[in-house]
């Protein structure tokens, strides 16, 4: 009987210890929360500072993965507004100091008389329509230049909706327990994936969207981009596109992303300069390119550093070279 009493005491103590460890060492129980939004589909809840898997994550009052900012830029400040998807955001695996916008800010903030601020408006799985929706909702924050990060996978991606908000991958409230989040968001979902039968080549081929649907979505996205450019021209704000590739576009063999040629032609007609990371990295050794990715799509801190350098060089060599006039 005494043994059972010990177990009754020991089990709760172990569970409490596990809960405390998961919260303090991994940050489980406090995920970055999202909210549904008519114009953006969804965005991160404002004013969040969290610690996840050893990484610092911060969202300001405008749902940007940036420090708190102001609607209008301070005097003697160069402000760059970047809008994009999870590649720009970095997600949980990327510390706040290592995201692309922070890398770019540090690279360009070398002037003695002019500060640099790079804002990061982004969320995972945002398509071109979601990015434009953010600009329509919040505006351009008095920026000197706006950069739209568009990945090769975004060219045919539909605009994401708010239907995913509240799911485990897009939480809108904190779980009751860190243990609960570990089991249901991570362990259970992984177990389900492992239990699923492996897809045969025939089944994978059957799941590929039909060419007609792909074409339709691409031209729908280009229409959204064209309409947005008209609004941006009214604001008289220079705009660039940062075109980011997936790893399969470069490794193991260089390939042309679907619709890239038509996309670049659309940008030419809209008079939007493009910072083509795919083209720039196509000239590098495969080992170097591979070192830039943390998975099939997302960049690691080294990759973010490399892209930040490309952006800085492009801005300083373009008609906007005056934004870099005080840089060394």
């Amino acid at each position: 009987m005494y043994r059972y009493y010990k177990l009754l005491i020991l089990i709760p103590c172990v569970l409490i210890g596990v809960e405390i460890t998961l919260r303090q060492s991994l940050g489980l129980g406090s995920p970055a929360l999202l909210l549904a939004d008519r114009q953006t589909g969804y965005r991160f809840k404002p004013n969040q500072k969290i610690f996840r898997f050893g990484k610092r994550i911060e969202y300001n009052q405008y749902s940007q993965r940036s420090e708190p900012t102001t609607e209008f830029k301070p005097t003697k400040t160069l402000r760059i507004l970047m809008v994009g998807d999870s590649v720009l955001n970095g997600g949980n695996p990327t510390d706040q100091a290592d995201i692309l916008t922070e890398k770019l800010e540090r690279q360009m903030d070398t002037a003695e008389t002019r500060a640099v601020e790079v804002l990061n408006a982004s969320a995972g799985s945002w398509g071109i329509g979601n990015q434009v929706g953010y600009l329509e909702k919040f505006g351009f924050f008095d920026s000197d230049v706006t950069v739209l990060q568009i990945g090769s996978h975004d060219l045919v991606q539909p605009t994401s909706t708010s239907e995913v908000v509240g799911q485990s991958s897009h939480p809108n409230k904190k779980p009751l327990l860190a243990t609960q989040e570990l089991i249901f968001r991570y362990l259970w979902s992984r177990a389900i994936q492992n239990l699923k039968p492996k897809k045969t080549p025939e089944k994978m081929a059957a799941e590929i969207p039909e060419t007609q649907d792909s074409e339709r979505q691409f031209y729908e996205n280009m229409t959204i981009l064209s309409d947005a450019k008209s609004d941006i021209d009214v604001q008289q704000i220079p705009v660039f596109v940062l075109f980011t590739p997936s790893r399969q576009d470069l490794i193991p063999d260089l390939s042309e992303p679907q619709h890239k040629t038509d996309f670049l032609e659309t940008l030419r007609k809209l008079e939007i300069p493009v910072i083509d990371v795919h083209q720039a990295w196509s000239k590098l050794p495969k080992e170097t390119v591979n070192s830039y990715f943390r998975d099939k799509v997302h960049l690691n801190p080294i990759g973010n550093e490399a892209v930040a350098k490309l952006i800085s060089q492009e801005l300083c060599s373009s008609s906007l070279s005056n934004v870099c006039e005080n840089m060394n």
Side-chain angles (χ1 to χ4, degrees):
M1 183 66 68
Y2 178 69
R3 182 181 301 173
Y4 293 118
Y5 283 126
K6 288 179 65 177
L7 286 175
L8 288 175
I9 296 173
L10 180 61
I11 291 174
C13 288
V14 170
L15 292 176
I16 292 172
V18 170
E19 178 72 18
I20 292 173
T21 300
L22 291 176
R23 287 183 177 274
Q24 293 186 348
S25 63
L26 297 178
L28 288 173
S30 298
L33 302 179
L34 295 104
L35 52 83
D37 182 273
R38 183 180 62 83
Q39 289 169 281
T40 67
Y42 52 82
R43 56 188 170 88
F44 285 97
K45 287 188 175 181
N47 303 313
Q48 297 187 75
K49 283 186 178 182
I50 61 175
F51 172 83
R52 297 279 285 183
F53 306 112
K55 311 299 182 182
R56 182 174 59 91
I57 300 172
E58 179 175 355
Y59 291 97
N60 66 16
Q61 72 271 40
Y62 298 109
S63 300
Q64 300 165 352
R65 191 169 180 185
S66 305
E67 295 179 355
T69 190
T70 55
E71 183 178 356
F72 298 98
K73 66 181 180 182
T75 57
K76 296 183 179 180
T77 298
L78 166 65
R79 176 176 283 181
I80 301 170
L81 172 63
M82 294 193 68
V83 189
D85 62 9
S86 57
V87 173
L88 180 65
N89 184 274
N92 291 330
T94 310
D95 187 83
Q96 192 78 12
D98 290 326
I99 61 177
L100 175 56
T101 46
E102 294 292 321
K103 296 278 190 181
L104 178 60
E105 188 171 290
R106 288 196 294 273
Q107 281 198 21
M108 299 194 69
D109 195 10
T110 58
E112 297 180 0
T113 59
R114 199 177 194 190
V116 178
E117 183 181 24
V118 185
L119 304 178
N120 184 323
S122 59
S125 297
W126 264 10
I128 294 173
N130 301 99
Q131 295 184 32
V132 172
Y134 184 91
L135 296 175
E136 291 174 347
K137 184 178 185 69
F138 289 104
F140 297 87
F141 296 91
D142 195 27
S143 62
D144 294 282
V145 58
T146 297
V147 179
L148 306 178
Q149 176 266 312
I150 298 176
S152 57
H153 59 283
D154 294 320
L155 298 182
V156 295
Q157 178 179 320
T159 301
S160 295
T161 69
S162 60
E163 293 178 356
V164 296
V165 176
Q167 298 179 9
S168 61
S169 59
H170 294 74
N172 58 355
K173 58 183 178 180
K174 293 182 179 181
L176 180 62
L177 300 170
T179 313
Q180 170 191 350
E181 185 182 15
L182 173 66
I183 293 173
F184 291 102
R185 181 172 181 178
Y186 295 103
L187 299 182
W188 179 251
S189 61
R190 179 167 294 183
I192 293 297
Q193 288 295 326
N194 291 335
L195 289 174
K196 288 182 179 179
K198 292 184 178 181
K199 297 178 181 179
T200 63
E202 292 77 12
K203 188 171 183 180
M204 292 176 66
E207 293 178 353
I208 297 175
E210 294 182 5
T211 303
Q212 186 176 358
D213 293 336
S214 171
E215 293 282 343
R216 176 175 49 79
Q217 187 60 58
F218 171 74
Y219 287 111
E220 182 178 320
N221 287 339
M222 294 305 97
T223 300
I224 294 172
L225 184 61
S226 178
D227 293 343
K229 178 57 163 56
S230 299
D231 295 336
I232 293 172
D233 287 343
V234 172
Q235 301 290 330
Q236 296 184 327
I237 298 173
V239 60
F240 285 71
V241 160
L242 172 69
F243 183 67
T244 54
S246 298
R247 182 160 56 182
Q248 67 178 13
D249 299 327
L250 296 159
I251 300 173
D253 298 307
L254 178 64
S255 61
E256 184 81 356
Q258 185 184 25
H259 299 295
K260 180 186 176 183
T261 300
D262 291 335
F263 178 53
L264 294 182
E265 178 61 19
T266 298
L267 296 181
R268 186 191 66 79
K269 291 179 179 179
L270 294 175
E271 298 182 329
I272 300 177
V274 58
I275 304 167
D276 191 344
V277 180
H278 176 255
Q279 181 185 34
W281 287 1
S282 67
K283 305 170 185 176
L284 300 178
K286 293 180 181 179
E287 296 77 11
T288 301
V289 174
N290 191 51
S291 71
Y292 290 159
F293 287 88
R294 77 163 192 254
D295 56 29
K296 295 180 180 179
V297 174
H298 303 99
L299 304 174
N300 58 28
I302 300 174
N304 284 334
E305 185 81 33
V307 174
K309 184 175 294 186
L310 288 175
I311 298 172
S312 177
Q313 291 171 346
E314 182 65 28
L315 293 182
C316 293
S317 63
S318 70
S319 58
L320 293 173
S321 59
N322 62 305
V323 303
C324 307
E325 60 187 1
N326 293 320
M327 292 177 59
N328 295 325

